[in-house]
Amino acid sequence: MAEYLKVTVQDHIATVVMDRPPVNAQNTQFREEIIQAFDSFTDRDDVRVAILTGTGKMFSAGADMKARPSSGEPGEYWNFSRWVREMFNSIHECAKPVIAAVNGPALGAGFGLVAACDIILASDNCVIGMPEIDIGLMGGAAMLQQFFGRSRARRMFYTGWRVPAAELYRTGVIECCVPLEQLMPEAMKLAAEIASKSPLAMRYAKQSMNVTMHMPARDGYRFEQGMTVALSKSEDAQEAKAAFFEKRKPEWKGR
């Protein structure tokens, strides 16, 4: 039973609400619960898409500074860093698409959670930033450079600048910037659209996106063509064709 997460599943949509007041600071147990939740979604047939959000007006302020390594024991810091990486990886590698509904500040490792998601929606009180430079730490350069151009990523990394949601939307980093009360309805609407697709096709789609993002275009397209061939042999692909010609909604089997 998770202590810091509230997980619900309805209509093939898993909603994960981080609930560690006051700022959803991340300690080891928090990370373990995130990993367990998103690893489980990969194997759950009742989950086709997930939404990650926080309670109230805070997404996550990042790592719990009181829970950072301090004893100096050999290997302690490396083990700590491994748990942080794997928390992000559990979201990125989840076979189901994950929507970030960023309901407030997402800082440091909080932005790491956002960066691991597939699609980002935000409320207008959201800011993102990597403030590690101000607290004697490093972190997030790779994530920043994935989302921002050279100059902006370095400005954020060197200064800890917190970018407001309106600016993130203007520059195409997020899909919407809405009042807080509209955020979850927008996320649920998008999640329902994704959940309506073939679960097998969506699994292939996420795998294609994750693998090809690090490939040259030529190799990436070749990989994607292989996925298309595999999907075309499935029952869901045959059902999609039949439903198209018969002008009806498809009935997915997930195989």
Side-chain angles (χ1 to χ4, degrees):
M1 186 72 176
E3 181 179 355
Y4 299 136
L5 301 182
K6 296 177 181 177
V7 180
T8 57
V9 178
Q10 186 174 359
D11 299 328
H12 299 291
I13 301 169
T15 302
V16 180
V17 182
M18 298 177 289
D19 186 22
R20 188 170 187 247
V23 295
N24 291 324
Q26 303 163 17
N27 63 4
T28 298
Q29 182 178 333
F30 182 101
R31 297 182 186 100
E32 289 176 343
E33 291 182 10
I34 288 282
I35 292 169
Q36 193 281 327
F38 285 93
D39 280 352
S40 74
F41 296 157
T42 290
D43 291 336
R44 290 182 61 168
D45 292 337
D46 62 331
V47 174
R48 295 182 182 178
V49 60
I51 299 171
L52 177 63
T53 192
T55 53
K57 298 181 179 180
M58 170 62 69
F59 186 78
S60 175
D64 186 342
M65 293 298 291
K66 296 179 181 178
R68 295 191 67 82
S70 59
S71 70
E73 287 291 323
E76 180 187 31
Y77 222 119
W78 302 114
N79 180 263
F80 170 85
S81 297
R82 187 179 306 280
W83 277 104
V84 175
R85 288 198 306 273
E86 291 310 313
M87 176 181 64
F88 302 146
N89 289 340
S90 71
I91 298 172
H92 176 70
E93 296 170 1
C94 178
K96 315 299 171 63
V98 182
I99 299 167
V102 191
N103 59 303
L107 306 174
F111 175 60
L113 290 171
V114 174
C117 295
D118 294 279
I119 302 172
I120 307 169
L121 314 180
S123 53
D124 54 14
N125 64 313
C126 160
V127 295
I128 68 167
M130 287 289 180
E132 281 85 347
I133 194 72
D134 295 323
I135 51 176
L137 300 170
M138 289 285 103
M143 297 171 186
L144 290 174
Q145 292 181 95
Q146 180 182 344
F147 286 85
F148 301 97
R150 175 187 173 93
S151 177
R152 175 144 300 182
R154 294 183 183 224
R155 176 186 174 186
M156 293 174 70
F157 197 60
Y158 297 162
T159 69
W161 178 40
R162 301 180 181 191
V163 186
E167 175 67 4
L168 296 170
Y169 180 65
R170 186 189 72 83
T171 52
V173 175
I174 61 177
E175 292 303 299
C176 72
C177 172
V178 297
L180 181 58
E181 62 272 16
Q182 295 179 22
L183 179 61
M184 283 306 294
E186 286 291 328
M188 292 298 292
K189 179 181 177 181
L190 177 58
E193 182 178 0
I194 292 173
S196 73
K197 310 299 182 183
S198 159
L200 180 62
M202 194 59 65
R203 182 182 287 262
Y204 283 168
K206 178 153 185 182
Q207 185 179 354
S208 293
M209 293 297 276
N210 280 357
V211 172
T212 60
M213 68 184 290
H214 300 298
M215 286 183 172
R218 176 189 173 93
D219 296 337
Y221 190 54
R222 177 66 188 87
F223 176 87
E224 184 183 351
Q225 286 180 315
M227 299 295 281
T228 298
V229 171
L231 178 62
S232 70
K233 298 177 181 179
S234 70
E235 290 184 34
D236 274 5
Q238 302 309 312
E239 170 64 9
K241 293 178 183 177
F244 175 79
F245 287 115
E246 295 169 12
K247 296 181 170 53
R248 59 173 175 82
K249 289 185 178 181
E251 296 181 8
W252 306 122
K253 303 296 185 183
R255 55 181 186 266

